[in-house]
Amino acid sequence: MSNEHAMRFPLVGSAMLLSLFLLFKFLSKDLVNAVLTCYFFVLGIVALSATLLPSIRRFLPKHWNEDLIIWRFPYFRSLEIEFTRSQIVAAIPGTFFCAWYASRKHWLANNILGFAFCIQGIEMLSLGSFKTGAILLAGLFVYDIFWVFFTPVMVSVAKSFDAPIKLLFPTADSARPFSMLGLGDIVIPGIFVALALRFDVSRGKESQYFKSAFLGYTAGLVLTIIVMNWFQAAQPALLYIVPGVIGFLAVHCIWNSDVKQLLEFDESKTSTSEDGESKSSKKEE
């Protein structure tokens, strides 16, 4: 992700959020949610299967994990899908689970799918550098505050959107049966915390900055829950999480005098150098 992409991200997110708000406003809520259920049924199978695959593949024959099966679409021969037998095996429990979710819409099934989306999102997305991460978090910090505090859009979409884009926590209040945490409040800070872990690994040291970033995230999340229950009103989680993650990491980095190394860290350059070293070592062998 480049700095330009990070700057545009809140604008794209705002456009998508407003579009969903207008859909729910002018179309039938049941119709929109029915379409979204079909979409997330397929997406859930993919995410859950990918999450289960590392645990399942160790029990399967080696050629099931390595031999690719290529399936071409009828009438569109240029379109093709590549998969392995182990991916098919992992898709079986994923399909049954998503069918249970689609039929029951149980909050526990919603949360399990939500966790699968979070794991895959954090695994697939990469910020590249802490500068890009800081730009992204700062933009979404303003985005979250604006759409929650100054408009009814965010809360309205979150309540109307019947899909695993949020984690649900049952409450004893009949008027407010569930507390909600959007997946964006997990994935976006999560990729920043994951970058801190990669920074630690690149230095060949124990995960010290990962621990401080994760501690900052935990502190921000706990503060969000406290404030939400105190005021009995929706809160923009990134208002508390972003200062927590960046603040804890910044203080720890300044304390260890590693500010320059952290700001100069570029994951793409690190991965390129590691690839070069591995190729040279293979040639020497």
Side-chain angles (χ1 to χ4, degrees):
M1 183 181 293
S2 65
N3 291 347
E4 291 75 16
H5 291 148
M7 291 177 187
R8 287 199 295 264
F9 199 93
L11 300 177
V12 175
S14 297
M16 292 180 64
L17 182 66
L18 192 57
S19 299
L20 286 170
F21 177 76
L22 294 174
L23 277 176
F24 283 114
K25 187 175 180 65
F26 295 108
L27 295 178
S28 168
K29 179 180 173 181
D30 293 335
L31 174 63
V32 175
N33 278 320
V35 175
L36 291 173
T37 297
C38 295
Y39 173 72
F40 278 95
F41 176 80
V42 177
L43 201 62
I45 294 173
V46 174
L48 197 57
S49 302
T51 305
L52 295 173
L53 184 60
S55 300
I56 292 176
R57 65 187 304 169
R58 68 181 66 178
F59 300 105
L60 299 175
K62 186 177 180 181
H63 69 277
W64 280 36
N65 300 325
E66 296 178 351
D67 296 345
L68 287 176
I69 300 172
I70 301 176
W71 184 78
R72 290 182 173 84
F73 286 83
Y75 307 109
F76 299 96
R77 307 299 293 179
S78 58
L79 297 176
E80 60 183 35
I81 300 176
E82 295 182 352
F83 52 88
T84 61
R85 292 180 178 86
S86 58
Q87 288 175 320
I88 297 176
V89 173
I92 295 172
T95 302
F96 281 106
F97 186 88
C98 289
W100 174 53
Y101 165 76
S103 61
R104 299 293 182 183
K105 292 294 182 75
H106 194 277
W107 66 268
L108 185 59
N110 175 91
N111 289 357
I112 291 173
L113 284 176
F115 279 124
F117 289 138
C118 288
I119 291 170
Q120 295 307 309
I122 293 172
E123 182 180 341
M124 294 171 61
L125 296 174
S126 175
L127 290 170
S129 70
F130 287 98
K131 293 178 183 177
T132 302
I135 293 171
L136 178 64
L137 289 181
L140 291 175
F141 174 81
V142 177
Y143 159 92
D144 215 19
I145 292 172
F146 173 77
W147 289 111
V148 173
F149 281 156
F150 297 100
T151 74
V153 173
M154 180 77 80
V155 176
S156 175
V157 170
K159 290 180 177 179
S160 303
F161 204 121
D162 190 13
I165 60 160
K166 54 188 180 290
L167 300 184
L168 301 174
F169 303 96
T171 67
D173 186 0
S174 58
R176 192 168 59 97
F178 292 101
S179 294
M180 296 178 289
L181 178 66
L183 298 190
D185 299 326
I186 301 173
V187 174
I188 300 301
I191 58 178
F192 190 86
V193 174
L195 184 65
L197 179 60
R198 295 187 184 105
F199 176 62
D200 289 331
V201 171
S202 71
R203 287 154 49 91
K205 297 183 179 181
E206 64 178 34
S207 54
Q208 53 179 353
Y209 291 118
F210 165 75
K211 291 176 181 176
S212 60
F214 186 78
L215 183 62
Y217 177 81
T218 304
L221 187 58
V222 170
L223 184 59
T224 303
I225 296 170
I226 293 172
V227 175
M228 181 178 64
N229 285 286
W230 181 270
F231 291 102
Q232 291 294 305
Q235 296 293 317
L238 294 181
L239 170 63
Y240 310 100
I241 292 174
V242 169
V245 172
I246 294 180
F248 274 64
L249 183 64
V251 170
H252 192 181
C253 189
I254 293 170
W255 181 268
N256 290 340
S257 301
D258 284 335
V259 176
K260 184 178 180 181
Q261 294 92 319
L262 184 134
L263 292 178
E264 291 179 349
F265 176 71
D266 190 326
E267 192 177 7
S268 61
K269 294 179 181 178
T270 304
S271 59
T272 303
S273 63
E274 287 177 354
D275 292 341
E277 289 176 2
S278 62
K279 289 179 181 177
S280 62
S281 61
K282 287 181 181 178
K283 289 180 180 179
E284 289 176 0
E285 290 174 1

